[in-house]
Amino acid sequence: MCGIVGYIGNQEAIPILLGGLKRLEYRGYDSAGVAMISGQKLSVSKQKGKISRLETLLSEQNLNGTIGIGHTRWATHGEPNTVNAHPHTCCENKFALIHNGIIENYSILKKELQGKKHNFQTETDTEVLVHLIEDFYKNNNNFELAVREALQRLDGTYGIAVVCSDEPDVLITARKGSPIVLGLGKNEYFVASDTAAIVAHTQQVSYLDDNEMAIINRKNMVIKTIDDRPVEKRVEQIAFDVKKIEKSGYKHFMLKEIMEQPQTVFDSMRGRLLDEEGTAKLGGIEYEVDSLLRSRRVLFSACGTSWHAALIGEYLVEEYVRIPVEVEYASEFRYRNPILDRDTVVAVISQSGETADTLAAVREAKRKRAKVLGICNVVGSTIARETDAGVYLHAGPEIGVASTKAFTSQVTVLALMTLLLARMSSMSASTGRSVVQEFKLLPEKIEQILKNRKLIETIADKYVDATNFLYLGRGINFPVALEGALKLKEISYIHAEGYPAAEMKHGPIALIDENMPVVVIATKDSTYDKIMSNIEEVRARKGKIIAIATEGDDFIKTKVDHVIYVPPFTEFLLPILTIIPLQLLAYYIAVKRGCDVDQPRNLAKSVTVE
Ligand code: G6P
């Protein structure tokens, strides 16, 4: 989704802005632009499409200057075209502004400003803000005050950066509901919506909180609340390895991230398994374990792939800890009146830690006095900071829009939480010790599946032209079917549905004929016999079956068109294995269809608007 980068210092701003924007490409965007001040002249360049097009335009324009802002836009209000791209400027071309988020009262403000003869150029909600700033500035001639007064009139969410040609040594940024990170250098400052954009220049950062703004010149930075109260900020040192956000020889980030999973799952477990005691140690929720065990209900809330991980969490906690669990889409949770009390623990799951609906769920749950835990990947993200306690995934930055390694790490962390809680309740030490040993086998088991990727590529070849896919699973593998279908539709644009295998009879079976590929997760687990019957039902209707099965199961070969084997493993951790072939299958089909797998159309990595 939209990305922000800003610079003020003594270096040429354009290369820094373009470099930062490229690091934000993964978030998903449809146009990009920059604004620069040179002397007291404000120049804006923007382009529909990829950043490389903006880069070409800039190389023809020869702009220079040491203060500037840049943006990647993901359209909400108004078509994705060059006019609607950010930065936006006001009538007198004095201010340029970039914005992430949504201004909900923009139409009222627009009418008011049009009444005052402001001339609008775009269909965006953002443009009202730059005119509003201009309007206040006409009265008070004070850049900071004009921004502050304008922000106080807004309903909705924003992360903004704004420059003014009357004050070429000042950059202002502010946040409400959309992240802003400030990077500190020597006589230079960086602003971004995501640390990835600035980490090549500095690892000293501060994060703005909601309703805060920073007024930055080359020598210092002042942070205040929007209503002008001083704020003290900690400067944090972030550990960020730039290599982790590069493709390292892979054709796509998605493939790199799929292949990294033996390591990332290992990293999620690192230092968290206790052999002797047969349990897990999760420092971040150490003081909340009692509330979890005493709770009458655990409610998981998340979006997208993280929601699928939550469904697996539901299965694990109910099965092994015997606490009732509910799973809610964060977007639904926030708009009804959820029944929460002090006996409910809410656990939100989010790779980015910035998803708007999940964040809103956190705030609603806290308002209702529930204990709220966060399972996040991005360290220092808003959800990580706003939850009462939590566990990090430590999967490293995930760049591919379609989530892969974050999913397996989410399930790993949920399984670790389950082990910890089960050992504090009904699980024996000896069972715990054997579960710990199973965890340790995960990386090599994943490795074995990845080695088989040529076969998966060959199967993918046969289904490149399919228009529909059905994914079936039962029990703990049902959410895996949902996730497999989501992966395929996200990146290949083939319609795919995940279904509990037995439910197929209540609808999707009507779709099955010789043109319908059906992926069935049929591992040797507690549901094997039942799922074999479902395979027969598909076979009887001539559906093409791709089975994910357990090594050694030769019988299944006689029943299906293709088999992808995974090693035998405990049911407890099985989804971490069964999802891997489905990620690869989706990847190869999408690549063969010529799709942009890392930046699929219309999708965003981090959905920071409702
Ligand atoms: C977007 C991404 C998905 C992700 C979902 C939730 O839709 O494209 O890959 O699963 O958001 O994101 P989160 O960061 O909260 O896990």
Side-chain angles (χ1 to χ4, degrees):
M1 209 147 260
C2 304
I4 284 180
V5 53
Y7 176 75
I8 177 164
N10 298 308
Q11 304 185 56
E12 275 303 320
I14 293 274
I16 295 172
L17 297 179
L18 282 175
L21 291 179
K22 285 182 189 163
R23 295 283 191 210
L24 297 178
E25 279 195 291
Y26 78 96
R27 296 169 64 98
Y29 69 105
D30 46 60
S31 53
V34 297
M36 304 279 304
I37 300 181
S38 182
Q40 284 207 322
K41 187 170 174 293
L42 176 69
S43 320
V44 174
S45 299
K46 39 197 202 176
Q47 266 296 2
K48 179 183 172 182
K50 294 284 174 196
I51 289 168
S52 52
R53 297 189 59 203
L54 174 69
E55 203 166 9
T56 313
L57 178 72
L58 284 167
S59 66
E60 289 156 6
Q61 290 175 327
N62 241 340
L63 296 184
N64 54 27
T66 55
I67 171 170
I69 53 178
H71 191 260
T72 45
R73 173 174 188 250
W74 186 89
T76 58
H77 296 59
E79 226 185 280
N81 60 25
T82 301
V83 174
N84 289 333
H86 300 209
H88 295 300
T89 49
C90 57
C91 302
E92 291 178 9
N93 207 37
K94 206 179 277 269
F95 295 96
L97 173 121
I98 53 180
H99 165 231
N100 288 0
I102 289 182
I103 300 170
E104 285 165 4
N105 57 342
Y106 84 98
S107 51
I108 301 170
L109 293 171
K110 189 168 178 174
K111 223 175 254 158
E112 191 184 302
L113 288 159
Q114 279 168 329
K116 291 180 172 179
K117 303 277 174 276
H118 282 265
N119 192 3
F120 281 77
Q121 308 291 330
T122 78
E123 303 160 283
T124 66
D125 54 333
T126 301
E127 196 186 348
V128 295
L129 180 55
V130 74
H131 287 282
L132 201 56
I133 294 172
E134 176 179 52
D135 212 59
F136 281 114
Y137 188 77
K138 275 186 191 147
N139 294 333
N140 59 30
N141 224 12
N142 179 325
F143 181 21
E144 178 193 329
L145 186 59
V147 173
R148 197 177 322 124
E149 287 179 334
L151 291 178
Q152 284 172 0
R153 297 260 352 247
L154 299 192
D155 291 336
T157 55
Y158 55 79
I160 60 156
V162 50
V163 289
C164 170
S165 57
D166 283 354
E167 297 209 33
D169 298 318
V170 180
L171 191 159
I172 296 182
T173 177
R175 140 175 199 159
K176 183 181 169 201
S178 195
I180 292 288
V181 56
L182 307 163
L184 288 67
K186 198 161 182 282
N187 297 329
E188 60 180 359
Y189 291 90
F190 305 83
V191 172
S193 50
D194 182 327
T195 40
I198 56 174
V199 78
H201 305 286
T202 178
Q203 306 204 328
Q204 305 272 322
V205 302
S206 285
Y207 298 95
L208 280 191
D209 284 306
D210 277 353
N211 299 309
E212 289 178 355
M213 63 195 289
I215 302 98
I216 311 170
N217 63 40
R218 289 177 178 77
K219 293 260 155 19
N220 73 49
M221 169 170 84
V222 176
I223 302 180
K224 301 175 168 179
T225 60
I226 305 295
D227 53 9
D228 206 19
R229 281 173 292 124
V231 173
E232 281 293 321
K233 275 280 151 189
R234 257 187 333 134
V235 175
E236 298 177 31
Q237 175 78 26
I238 43 165
F240 204 103
D241 179 357
V242 177
K243 276 206 207 82
K244 289 197 172 153
I245 51 173
E246 280 163 359
K247 283 190 196 149
S248 316
Y250 284 99
K251 201 164 156 220
H252 297 103
F253 281 111
M254 184 177 176
L255 183 60
K256 176 185 175 228
E257 288 159 5
I258 291 173
M259 297 301 289
E260 272 173 1
Q261 290 176 106
Q263 185 62 45
T264 50
V265 163
F266 176 80
D267 290 341
S268 299
M269 301 187 293
R270 192 196 297 272
R272 290 173 164 174
L273 288 168
L274 303 180
D275 292 67
E276 270 305 296
E277 290 119 281
T279 186
K281 181 177 164 55
L282 295 168
I285 54 164
E286 206 166 303
Y287 299 108
E288 305 302 339
V289 174
D290 283 337
S291 350
L292 268 164
L293 283 174
R294 274 200 314 266
S295 66
R296 279 194 293 150
R297 187 169 69 122
V298 173
L299 198 147
F300 284 121
S301 192
C303 302
T305 289
S306 302
W307 185 79
H308 295 154
L311 293 177
I312 296 172
E314 174 182 31
Y315 181 95
L316 291 173
V317 174
E318 290 201 337
E319 178 76 17
Y320 299 97
V321 193
R322 309 303 294 159
I323 299 176
V325 178
E326 260 178 76
V327 180
E328 274 274 11
Y329 283 115
S331 54
E332 290 298 314
F333 176 85
R334 61 180 297 197
Y335 287 115
R336 40 187 207 86
N337 188 7
I339 303 172
L340 297 176
D341 54 28
R342 286 172 200 276
D343 295 330
T344 306
V345 173
V346 174
V348 297
I349 306 175
S350 173
Q351 186 286 128
S352 61
E354 302 293 349
T355 301
D357 284 324
T358 314
L359 181 57
V362 169
R363 291 177 178 161
E364 181 59 17
K366 286 182 85 174
R367 217 169 279 132
K368 289 193 150 44
R369 295 285 176 271
K371 179 76 72 189
V372 187
L373 310 181
I375 298 172
C376 294
N377 193 32
V378 178
V379 176
S381 56
T382 311
I383 293 175
R385 286 182 292 131
E386 290 202 10
T387 39
D388 298 313
V391 186
Y392 279 121
L393 305 181
H394 298 307
E398 189 178 64
I399 307 293
V401 165
S403 183
T404 52
K405 65 176 183 173
F407 176 76
T408 44
S409 284
Q410 286 165 341
V411 179
T412 304
V413 163
L414 288 162
L416 288 168
M417 266 174 79
T418 304
L419 171 63
L420 169 65
L421 296 172
R423 280 289 290 118
M424 293 178 81
S425 43
S426 59
M427 189 183 275
S428 70
S430 66
T431 309
R433 279 195 284 271
S434 60
V435 173
V436 166
Q437 293 318 308
E438 302 275 9
F439 267 103
K440 291 189 173 173
L441 293 174
L442 267 172
E444 69 178 72
K445 301 250 176 196
I446 300 173
E447 199 74 67
Q448 279 178 47
I449 303 170
L450 293 173
K451 281 199 183 121
N452 213 8
R453 62 187 184 283
K454 270 272 153 251
L455 167 77
I456 300 173
E457 191 172 0
T458 327
I459 299 172
D461 263 334
K462 302 200 162 43
Y463 296 98
V464 176
D465 297 321
T467 47
N468 291 293
F469 257 79
L470 189 60
Y471 285 70
L472 302 177
R474 296 182 85 119
I476 200 165
N477 275 320
F478 159 55
V480 177
L482 292 178
E483 175 61 9
L486 178 64
K487 287 289 86 74
L488 186 71
K489 71 184 129 196
E490 278 180 315
I491 59 170
S492 74
Y493 319 138
I494 295 174
H495 169 248
E497 269 189 79
Y499 244 82
E503 274 293 305
M504 175 184 66
K505 288 193 283 296
H506 302 289
I509 200 162
L511 303 172
I512 296 177
D513 61 15
E514 67 281 7
N515 297 317
M516 178 66 127
V518 183
V519 178
V520 188
I521 305 155
T523 40
K524 286 264 181 174
D525 55 48
S526 56
T527 63
Y528 180 75
D529 293 337
K530 300 279 175 213
I531 206 128
M532 287 311 288
S533 312
N534 302 129
I535 284 180
E536 292 292 357
E537 290 157 5
V538 177
R539 229 161 85 85
R541 286 153 189 91
K542 301 197 167 43
K544 297 276 174 290
I545 307 174
I546 303 166
I548 311 301
T550 304
E551 254 163 41
D553 180 1
D554 292 330
F555 172 69
I556 201 166
K557 281 195 212 156
T558 63
K559 300 284 178 192
V560 304
D561 298 85
H562 313 276
V563 186
I564 305 169
Y565 285 116
V566 298
F569 206 30
T570 169
E571 197 164 331
F572 185 76
L573 298 171
L574 201 51
I576 303 171
L577 301 192
T578 47
I579 190 58
I580 311 271
L582 304 189
Q583 295 170 343
L584 285 166
L585 185 68
Y587 172 78
Y588 287 122
I589 292 179
V591 169
K592 285 168 201 292
R593 285 166 70 93
C595 300
D596 184 350
V597 289
D598 282 337
Q599 290 161 40
R601 69 179 180 210
N602 304 340
L603 294 181
K605 181 72 189 151
S606 174
V607 179
T608 48
V609 296
E610 286 174 30

